[in-house]
Amino acid sequence: MFDHLSVGVRDLATARRFYDAFFAPLGCANTFAAEAELAYGPGGSRQFYLYPVAGGQVAGLGTHIAFSADSRSAVDAAYAAALAQGATVVRVAGLHPDISADYYGAVLLDPDGNKLEIVADTMH
């Protein structure tokens, strides 16, 4: 449905450490790096971009991005990696039948406050 997403961050080096760790369990890696831009995706693609921004607010109000995981263990691994890199927990990794009977996932804030969801199985 989309070609790519771009997200602003305060510090590209900090963001790279966070997203390198976060994306590895999800089968994605850094596929492009320049002074003012990073790109991530599976299989060498460039689908998720990071770029430095300045100002009091970096993250979009109410916006969140959900990433698919191949398994519950991949959700757990991405969640743990994100926590180790300074993520803030919004929803702990695990089953959440209040969302959907089969929902297994987590919601985190990256170091800049961007809301990220990791989900395995299905939400609907």
Side-chain angles (χ1 to χ4, degrees):
M1 187 161 134
F2 62 87
D3 182 71
H4 68 277
L5 297 170
S6 297
V7 174
V9 297
R10 286 190 177 89
D11 181 273
L12 213 51
T14 298
R16 182 168 189 171
R17 286 189 298 275
F18 178 89
Y19 283 96
D20 282 359
F22 176 76
F23 279 134
L26 303 178
C28 297
N30 177 255
T31 57
F32 177 79
E35 184 177 329
E37 186 175 55
L38 295 172
Y40 290 84
S45 68
R46 297 180 188 176
Q47 296 177 353
F48 185 81
Y49 286 83
L50 300 171
Y51 58 95
V53 296
Q57 179 183 332
V58 173
L61 295 173
T63 301
H64 89 271
I65 304 165
F67 297 96
S68 295
D70 290 338
S71 65
R72 293 176 179 189
S73 63
V75 170
D76 294 340
Y79 177 82
L83 290 180
Q85 294 297 320
T88 302
V89 176
V90 175
R91 181 186 308 128
V92 298
L95 287 168
H96 295 278
D98 55 309
I99 296 171
S100 174
D102 295 329
Y103 177 92
Y104 190 95
V107 178
L108 305 154
L109 300 177
D110 79 0
D112 289 297
N114 294 300
K115 190 183 283 186
L116 310 173
E117 181 176 14
I118 320 155
V119 65
D121 300 325
T122 183
M123 269 188 66
H124 309 286

